[in-house]
Amino acid sequence: MIALLLALGAAAFQDTAALDRAVAAFTGKPIGSEGGARAVVDPRLRLAQCPTVALSWRTDAHDAVVVSCGGPDWRIFVPVAMPPRAAVIARAAAAPLPAAAAEKVIRRGDPLVIEAGSPGFAITREGVAMADAAAGQRLMVRVDGGKMPVQAVALSPGRATLPGWGE
């Protein structure tokens, strides 16, 4: 009787070895190799049995596979073995510079005027930049007479606007 109950209980849980095979097929790499799962799915997990699992990448970096089930609702993340850090740094160095490396028009400590307005209405405040920013980037500004800094969008040297207000 106990053996029958154990057999029925075991059948009620998802086979983790099947999940390992599904992840390996999804990544195209075996467990433990670069680009494949770092390790097997923990066999101690007691996931409700799922007729059809869905697999997807967690992010564009392909650092983990999301294995989920919609029938009984569960989801696990399977970490992927990434290339050594030196290879990642070398690839990043070879890539073109991102837009964030654009020329800074405002430097930390620069005095500036925050402007916002529309036809028939305009408001300005003077302040001091708390960070460097290129045109179009956001930065925090310590406003004269204000207790808290405000967020602004850099326009040109010495000029910024409030987010949501065009030039």
Side-chain angles (χ1 to χ4, degrees):
M1 181 71 164
I2 294 175
L4 178 63
L5 289 174
L6 288 175
L8 289 175
F13 297 113
Q14 182 68 38
D15 179 16
T16 57
L19 295 179
D20 290 331
R21 290 189 298 275
V23 169
F26 180 77
T27 62
K29 305 285 182 169
I31 296 169
S33 70
E34 185 179 315
R38 277 194 222 157
V40 296
V41 174
D42 191 342
R44 297 173 294 183
L45 283 175
R46 299 293 177 233
L47 301 167
Q49 208 167 25
C50 183
T52 307
V53 294
L55 292 105
S56 62
W57 291 110
R58 183 178 75 91
T59 66
D60 289 338
H62 293 197
D63 59 347
V65 175
V66 180
V67 182
S68 59
C69 181
D73 196 23
W74 55 261
R75 173 176 65 174
I76 62 171
F77 297 86
V78 179
V80 170
M82 301 299 287
R85 183 165 168 77
V88 172
I89 292 171
R91 270 188 268 163
L97 291 175
E103 182 182 340
K104 305 297 183 190
V105 294
I106 295 177
R107 300 274 180 203
R108 180 180 180 179
D110 283 354
L112 54 97
V113 175
I114 303 173
E115 309 164 340
S118 61
F121 165 78
I123 185 169
T124 61
R125 290 292 303 256
E126 294 182 354
V128 177
M130 296 177 69
D132 296 349
Q137 284 185 322
R138 293 182 183 220
L139 73 149
M140 298 302 288
V141 178
R142 189 174 45 247
V143 178
D144 293 342
K147 291 183 181 181
M148 300 291 293
V150 297
Q151 191 176 76
V153 178
L155 296 175
S156 62
R159 290 184 55 225
T161 187
L162 294 175
W165 293 87
E167 187 168 0

